Amino acid sequence: MIDKRFADPSAAVRDIGDGATIMVGGFGEAGSPVELIDALIEQGAGDLTVISNNAGSGTTGLAALIKAGRVAKMICSYPRSADSEVFAEQYRAGRIGLELVPQGTLAERIRAAGAGIPAFYTPTAVGTSLAQGKPHGRFDDRECVLEHALGADVALIKAAAADRHGNLVYSKTARNFAPLMATAAETTIAQTSAVVGLGSLDPEAVVTPGIFVDRVVLIDRSPQWLDPSRSETGWL
């Protein structure tokens, strides 16, 4: 029987190696897999390339990973949000690289990787420094730039609930980039607030099918999902 549950975050991230490319879900703090990131910091992998919407908030989660000196390069849309001092300090000191990608293009590059599409043309960024050195094409009298798909070795994402097969549902805006990232990584690790019994998740509500998820880690049980008739017991 398929069972993708791991006992704790440390076990789930244990085999991530130096130099890996990591996708990290989250939109600001919404949907950020903080416990998985903390486990990765403790695990010690470094020289990482991280793909995320932003470069961390405050001093926790992705910001803590950057502060620990584990990230060699960020690929993101918003490296400087209201409380992203950690990345700014590292960048000014020359300790971290940056590839800036418009948000829609970032989402589509990730989606393309998951769909097996190697590249696509978009008008976004034409005429700016972000398009310099990239092939251009003209479609229906509109200039476009070629963007390549963006995959990763590992995706770290956060779900509201999962079953042991890895089917996932999300909580509102915590969904953000996670469904796309799950399809575009070689290994997808999902932390979740609840593990429920098989058949408890309405198939019509499942956003990420388990075929895209490799590891599931229970962090805590959210009251929204804490229903003894639906939850798996004694799963450890």
Side-chain angles (χ1 to χ4, degrees), residues 42-233:
E42 184 177 352
Q43 185 254 37
D47 195 30
L48 303 172
T49 296
V50 173
I51 302 165
S52 188
N53 180 62
N54 58 289
S57 301
T59 57
T60 62
L62 181 52
L65 185 66
I66 294 172
K67 187 173 183 178
R70 306 293 175 76
V71 182
K73 180 181 179 181
M74 280 297 310
I75 302 176
C76 68
S77 297
Y78 291 94
R80 292 193 63 185
S81 53
D83 55 352
S84 59
E85 293 85 357
V86 173
F87 173 82
E89 291 173 359
Q90 296 277 341
Y91 186 75
R92 285 194 295 266
R95 292 192 289 266
I96 190 170
L98 172 65
E99 179 181 343
L100 192 64
V101 185
Q103 190 177 67
T105 302
L106 179 65
E108 182 62 9
R109 288 180 68 185
I110 296 170
R111 190 200 70 83
I117 299 169
F120 60 91
Y121 279 97
T122 174
T124 304
V126 169
T128 73
S129 60
L130 298 182
Q132 291 179 0
K134 297 178 180 179
H136 285 60
R138 198 163 190 84
F139 302 89
D140 296 327
D141 294 324
R142 193 172 191 185
E143 191 75 11
C144 295
V145 62
L146 184 70
E147 297 284 358
H148 288 84
L150 193 59
D153 299 305
V154 180
L156 304 180
I157 61 176
K158 179 180 180 180
D163 61 26
R164 65 172 177 262
H165 286 180
N167 297 303
L168 306 180
V169 297
Y170 303 91
S171 177
K172 303 179 177 64
T173 56
R175 173 173 170 173
N176 53 71
F177 282 82
L180 298 179
M181 290 179 172
T183 70
E186 293 294 328
T187 300
T188 295
I189 307 173
Q191 70 173 68
T192 179
S193 298
V195 175
V196 300
L198 294 178
S200 296
L201 299 176
D202 181 353
E204 296 294 332
V206 170
V207 178
T208 298
I211 193 171
F212 296 116
V213 178
D214 300 282
R215 304 172 188 178
V216 173
V217 183
L218 178 66
I219 300 302
D220 59 20
R221 292 185 180 272
S222 167
Q224 178 184 0
W225 292 96
L226 189 53
D227 180 348
S229 67
R230 299 168 64 189
S231 299
E232 299 249 332
T233 58

